[in-house]
Amino acid sequence: MSQALAAAILALHLLVIAFNILGMAIIPIGAWRKWRFARAPVWRLAHLASMAIVAGQALAGRACFLTLWQDALSGRGRQPLIMRTVNAIVFWPLPAWFFSAVYLTLFAYVLAMLVIVPLRFSSS
């Protein structure tokens, strides 16, 4: 049961990572292509909040809470092959300061996108 929950948390973690990464590309491309949703407040603010959580955890020197939950449930040594493979792709063996610098830089980028591609609230 705990392995299944750990796998579900890993899947959620992958979705959050994809949301954050794709959002950073979709905002400027969507503005350039004049896609309405690229300026939609709901998903832009959700993206900003998600990146703020990532940057805040990095700034505090903490691991992502999803990572901590997954580790607590699965234990690194007993993971199935697919989980070990995905973990090897997601979790790089680099120092924490490297990730903090990357996450804070990406958060600054997302904040800059709020200025460069401002939110558009509907008038209705």
Side-chain angles (χ1 to χ4, degrees):
M1 176 64 174
S2 64
Q3 286 294 323
L5 191 52
I9 291 171
L10 178 59
L12 175 63
H13 205 175
L14 289 173
L15 288 174
V16 170
I17 291 167
F19 174 70
N20 287 340
I21 292 171
L22 292 174
M24 287 185 286
I26 287 172
I27 293 166
I29 293 169
W32 173 62
R33 302 279 300 168
K34 299 194 183 343
W35 296 336
R36 284 184 162 183
F37 75 90
R39 296 177 186 268
V42 172
W43 94 266
R44 290 284 300 276
L45 294 175
H47 185 251
L48 177 66
S50 181
M51 289 300 298
I53 291 168
V54 171
Q57 289 175 142
L59 198 56
R62 297 188 47 167
C64 174
F65 62 90
L66 293 173
T67 301
L68 297 175
W69 292 347
Q70 180 191 343
D71 284 350
L73 290 167
S74 67
R76 290 279 185 198
R78 301 172 305 175
Q79 291 179 337
L81 177 61
I82 188 68
M83 284 181 70
R84 287 194 311 266
T85 303
V86 172
N87 280 330
I89 294 168
V90 173
F91 304 111
W92 301 344
L94 296 169
W97 65 262
F98 174 84
F99 293 105
S100 294
V102 169
Y103 297 150
L104 291 172
T105 301
L106 295 176
F107 181 65
Y109 168 83
V110 171
L111 285 175
M113 285 294 109
L114 284 175
V115 174
I116 296 167
V117 182
L119 303 177
R120 184 168 294 145
F121 295 91
S122 63
S123 57
S124 53

